[in-house]
């Protein structure tokens, strides 16, 4: 007996059995539960819910039925799973914030965008939405295949006929085993336009179809971006887009601002978003907010964020985009079931598969109607024969002993089929009137014409496509609604740090020892000339400030070194420090080489093609290079000018190529010439001679002069012993480049050598910096106007051997606000 038992055993490895069982389970989940069918855009549970409602005649024009009744029918007849899963599927099809075109018309609490749960199924009522008719239309005309339900007591459809491309219109999401789908909803009219276009031009690809479909259209509105991620998603079936909530900035009467959120990205929970914002404010990760409240009601969403007075609402908004789900990502994954297998689609293939489905539905519907029409005309022709021989028929019936013999006699005498004979026996006497007889003859004619039309339709693929297009156009006219999600040109893949920083004015200073700091401009107030100034930096004995620059927080600093190299540094990357603080070693911010020092800094907002950088060296060499060549600077820096070993870069300026250049030396020589005399060169060029120097002289400053403003501006010259003067520009005649120039100032032991010259307006201010760290701010209008040959007046009281080493020019728009402090 044991040997016979062993013969019935089949030996298999546990690995093979587990592999086979898991694959069967995976395919069951993929095909039978988690992924939608590409043809009707429905998962099995959604299809079964709608079909159960159809069988219950729970249509849009009938009274509502309890949700529990629908769920019970679905579970008992088609879907032997938990009632919670079925009810959840039903609820989602009724939520206008989940589906662009809800397929179920719900009455009661079906949840909210705050994540509130729907009421129990015994409390809610449902019926099909009007558009759902288009999914189920013609299902009783043999348009789709049916298969037995789980206990083989009933049949259910494999797919719905679906006149609308529901998968694209309402989208779908689901997680299967080893794969997932995430298809966004789209505007119905755009999808239909693309479908019709593809019918007319089957060679169109996904990229061409994007002229009809702008992008997703989410039921919650908001914004998305027409960037590379969107195009990639439609062309490959996978991609990521960015969604942003709709926000308005309102200004109150007291100039305070508030941020009002009226739309959220798809599937973002409003209540959780509000909680997240509150947590960020509580933890001081989001500052500048004084109040937060949710004012949403039946009229729409309204989340109000009150901004503190003086704060920038746009900066706070950008932080909200970065730190919360007010900006969210949506990953495309266009996977659906096709021919009982999962497949990833691009936009073109997805639409074309729907077109093929509709072609099959229309063909099967036409064949069904043709069979019905042929059966009908067959009966009508039998009735016609009976009416044409009515007296014979009446006599035959009167002489027949029973119905069976009468039927057989009719078949024999009039050459009828059994169905025709039966129809004659069932003919009512009222149809023997003249009017009724004419109706039968007219009906035969119309049915014959219908048969000819149906045969013509079946014989022409072009006519089938025209009918599909006609039906789609009618649906578009009935159900089209305005687009909810606005498509913005450009990208928003991430936020740069600049998006979160207010662009304010600041001072950047550099010391001799290589320390740099950023200081708020309002820490310096205007004083009268001759004062002692205030402490501007606390440094070591041998350290001193060499340069001070006025700029904005979001500017890019082009940092030119004495060796002709340039580095890029964002102002916000410089640590903000107090007036007397030391600052941060610039070597920690820029990879400077040994003996390399910053000699000029240009704050740049945008790198325009029609602007230039003018460079001048200590030896009087000048060079002009397009600003655009400095747009992309490596972290290790790039060459700005080739410099001889004994030479150094002195200054760098921005110009538009149509101005004049002014150069001055420490021995008070200066030259003015037209900028067009210096041609534009590449970054690595050496330049040309700007001014010829004596052996003991060197260039200390360069200015760009605007000839049209000559009468307004003056040349301010400062010496190392704290003397200065203003001189009209007209006293410096225009010369040829490379000359020796003219006298700029009378220099002697009293006033010392020239520190520099600047082009100024009387209404503005200057800040002088000494090698002991003293700073003084002076109104330019308080400095005397003198000729080129004078020595100037004392501007700052210095204690020898203290010297002025740098000064910065401040324009009126900046210092006006400071004078109010």
């Amino acid at each position: 007996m044991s040997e016979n038992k062993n013969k019935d055993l089949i030996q298999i490895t546990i690995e093979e059995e587990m592999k086979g069982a898991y694959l069967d389970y995976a395919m069951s989940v993929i095909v039978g539960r988690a992924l939608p069918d590409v043809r009707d855009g429905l998962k099995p549970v959604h299809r079964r819910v709608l079909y159960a409602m159809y069988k219950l005649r729970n249509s849009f024009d009938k009274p509502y039925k309890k949700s529990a009744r629908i769920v019970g029918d679905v579970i008992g007849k088609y879907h032997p799973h938990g009632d919670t899963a079925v009810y959840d599927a039903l609820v989602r099809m009724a939520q206008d914030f989940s589906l662009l075109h809800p397929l179920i018309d719900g009455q009661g609490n079906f949840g909210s965008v705050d994540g509130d749960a729907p009421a129990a199924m015994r409390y809610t009522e449902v019926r099909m939405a009007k558009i759902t008719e288009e999914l189920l239309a013609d299902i009783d005309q043999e348009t789709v295949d049916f298969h037995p339900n789980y206990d083989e007591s009933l049949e259910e459809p494999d797919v719905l006929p679906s006149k609308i491309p529901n998968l694209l219109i309402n989208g779908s999401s689901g997680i299967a085993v080893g794969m997932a789908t995430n298809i966004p909803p789209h505007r119905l009219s755009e999808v239909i336009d693309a479908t019709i276009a593809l019918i007319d031009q089957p060679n169109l690809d996904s990229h061409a179809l994007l002229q009809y479909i702008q992008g997703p259209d989410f039921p919650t509105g908001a914004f998305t971006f027409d960037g590379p991620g969107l195009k990639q998603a439609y062309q490959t079936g996978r991609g990521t887009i960015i969604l942003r909530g709709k926000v308005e900035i309102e200004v109150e009467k007291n100039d305070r601002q508030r941020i009002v959120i009226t739309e959220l990205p798809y599937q973002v929970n409003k209540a959780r978003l509000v909680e997240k914002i509150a947590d960020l404010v509580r933890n001081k990760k989001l500052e500048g907010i004084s109040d937060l409240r949710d004012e949403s009601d039946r009229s729409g969403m309204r989340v109000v964020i009150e901004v503190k007075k003086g704060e920038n609402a746009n900066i706070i908004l950008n932080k909200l985009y970065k730190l919360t789900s007010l900006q969210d990502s949506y990953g495309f994954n266009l996977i659906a079931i096709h021919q009982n297998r999962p497949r990833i689609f691009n936009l073109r293939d997805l639409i074309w598969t729907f077109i093929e489905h509709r072609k099959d539905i229309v063909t099967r519907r036409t064949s069904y109607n043709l069979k019905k029409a042929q059966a009908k005309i067959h009966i009508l022709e039998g009735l016609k024969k009976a009416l044409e021989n009515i007296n014979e028929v009446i006599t035959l019936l009167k002489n027949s002993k029973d119905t069976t013999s009468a039927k057989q006699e009719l078949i024999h005498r009039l050459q009828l089929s059994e169905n025709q004979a039966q129809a004659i026996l069932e003919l009512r006497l009222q149809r023997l009137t003249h009017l009724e007889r004419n109706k039968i003859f007219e009906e035969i004619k119309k049915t014959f014409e219908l048969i000819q039309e149906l045969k013509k339709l079946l014989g022409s693929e072009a006519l089938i496509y025209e009918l599909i297009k006609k039906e789609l156009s009618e649906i578009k006219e009935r159900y089209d609604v305005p687009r909810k999600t606005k498509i913005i040109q450009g990208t928003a893949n991430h936020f740069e740090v600049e998006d979160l920083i207010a662009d304010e004015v600041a001072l950047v200073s550099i010391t001799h020892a290589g320390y740099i700091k950023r200081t708020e401009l309002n820490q310096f107030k205007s004083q009268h000339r001759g004062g002692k100034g205030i402490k501007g930096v606390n440094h070591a004995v041998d350290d001193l400030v060499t340069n001070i620059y006025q700029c904005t927080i979001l500017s890019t600093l082009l940092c030119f070194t004495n060796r002709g190299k340039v580095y890029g540094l964002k102002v916000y990357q410089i640590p903000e420090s107090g007036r007397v603080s030391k600052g941060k070693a610039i070597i920690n911010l820029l990879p400077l080489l040994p003996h390399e020092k910053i000699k000029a800094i240009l704050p740049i907002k945008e790198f325009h093609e029609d602007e230039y950088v003018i460079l001048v060296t200590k030896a009087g060499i000048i060079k002009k290079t397009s600003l655009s060549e400095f747009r992309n600077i490596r972290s290790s820096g790039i060459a700005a000018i080739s410099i001889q070993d004994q030479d150094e870069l002195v200054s760098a300026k921005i110009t538009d190529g149509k101005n004049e250049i002014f150069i001055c030396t420490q021995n008070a020589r200066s030259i003015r010439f037209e900028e067009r005399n210096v041609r534009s060169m590449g970054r690595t060029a050496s330049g040309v001679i700007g001014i010829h120097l004596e052996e003991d002289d060197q260039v200390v400053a360069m200015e760009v002069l605007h000839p049209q403003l000559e009468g307004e501006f003056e040349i301010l010259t400062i010496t190392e012993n704290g003397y200065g003067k203003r001189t009209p520009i007209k006293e410096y005649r225009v010369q040829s480049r490379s000359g020796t120039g003219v006298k700029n100032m009378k220099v002697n032991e009293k006033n010392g050598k020239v520190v520099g010259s600047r082009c100024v307006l009387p209404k503005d201010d200057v800040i002088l910096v000494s090698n002991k760290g003293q700073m003084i701010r002076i109104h330019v209008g308080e400095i005397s106007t003198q000729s080129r040959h004078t020595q100037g007046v004392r501007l700052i009281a210095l204690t020898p051997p203290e010297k002025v080493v740098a000064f910065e020019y401040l324009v009126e728009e900046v210092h006006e606000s400071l004078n109010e402090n």
Side-chain angles (χ1 to χ4, degrees), residues 614-622 659-675 677-678 688-693 697-705 715 717 728-745 754 757-759 788:
I614 293 284
L615 304 171
V616 67
T617 72
K618 189 167 61 173
I621 302 298
I622 191 169
N659 301 307
E660 295 174 347
I661 304 300
F662 177 86
I663 299 175
C664 75
T665 72
Q666 68 177 8
N667 288 345
R669 302 295 299 181
S670 62
I671 189 170
R672 176 186 177 188
F673 57 86
E674 293 181 348
E675 182 187 342
N677 291 331
V678 183
V688 295
I689 296 175
I691 184 171
H692 272 289
L693 303 174
D697 202 2
Q698 63 183 35
V699 172
V700 294
M702 173 187 66
E703 279 291 285
V704 174
L705 305 181
I715 297 296
T717 303
I729 293 178
K730 64 183 180 181
E731 291 200 20
Y732 302 90
R733 70 179 187 277
V734 178
Q735 299 177 278
S736 298
R737 177 184 60 81
S738 76
T740 56
V742 297
K743 195 73 174 176
N744 181 30
M745 192 175 196
V754 174
S757 293
R758 294 295 302 266
C759 187
R788 289 191 293 110

Side-chain angles (χ1 to χ4, degrees), residues 556-610:
T556 298
L557 299 183
L558 294 184
C559 302
F560 295 86
T561 73
N562 58 332
R563 299 312 305 155
K565 203 170 182 179
V566 60
Y567 298 88
L569 178 65
K570 294 290 187 180
V571 174
Y572 63 78
Q573 294 175 327
I574 303 170
E576 184 176 351
S577 305
R579 191 180 66 240
V580 298
S581 68
K582 186 176 182 180
K584 189 177 183 68
I586 199 168
I587 192 68
N588 294 327
L589 300 176
L590 297 175
L592 297 176
L593 299 175
H595 309 298
E596 196 173 22
K597 293 183 179 181
I598 301 297
K599 296 299 291 185
I601 292 180
L602 299 180
I604 305 297
K605 292 287 287 184
E606 296 180 7
F607 292 83
H608 297 293
E609 295 285 343
D610 56 353

Side-chain angles (χ1 to χ4, degrees), residues 315-358:
I315 299 299
I316 295 174
L317 177 58
N318 283 338
K319 290 182 179 179
L320 288 172
Y321 285 144
K322 184 175 181 64
L323 300 174
T324 73
S325 55
L326 187 59
Q327 174 170 301
D328 202 5
S329 61
Y330 183 94
F332 276 69
N333 211 12
L334 306 185
I335 294 179
I337 299 298
H338 180 53
Q339 297 177 349
N340 290 320
R341 296 175 65 87
R343 174 187 163 187
I344 185 166
F345 289 84
N346 58 30
L347 179 62
R348 190 265 176 198
D349 290 346
L350 197 152
I351 295 176
W352 185 253
T353 305
F354 169 76
I355 293 171
E356 289 180 327
H357 173 59
R358 283 306 300 165

Side-chain angles (χ1 to χ4, degrees), residues 11 89 129 214 268 309 339 450 490 565 568 612 647 759 790 797 801 809:
Q11 291 189 354
Q214 296 181 37
V268 168
K309 190 171 183 179
Q339 297 177 349
L450 174 62
K565 203 170 182 179
Y612 301 89
D647 198 3
C759 187
T790 58
Y809 176 53

Side-chain angles (χ1 to χ4, degrees), residues 179-198:
M179 63 182 63
T181 186
N182 209 27
I183 303 172
H186 296 78
R187 186 181 178 188
L188 181 143
S189 62
E190 294 177 11
V191 175
I192 287 179
D193 288 343
T195 305
I196 292 174
L198 189 57

Side-chain angles (χ1 to χ4, degrees), residues 15 21 67 91 120 185 193 197-198 201 205 213 271 296 321 333 390 442 573 596 615 623 635 671 770 778 789 795:
E15 292 87 350
S67 299
V91 165
D193 288 343
L198 189 57
Q201 304 175 67
D205 59 10
I213 297 179
S296 304
Y321 285 144
N333 211 12
I390 189 62
E442 184 65 26
Q573 294 175 327
E596 196 173 22
L615 304 171
K623 176 191 166 187
S635 59
I671 189 170
S770 79
I778 304 173
H789 302 283
L795 302 181

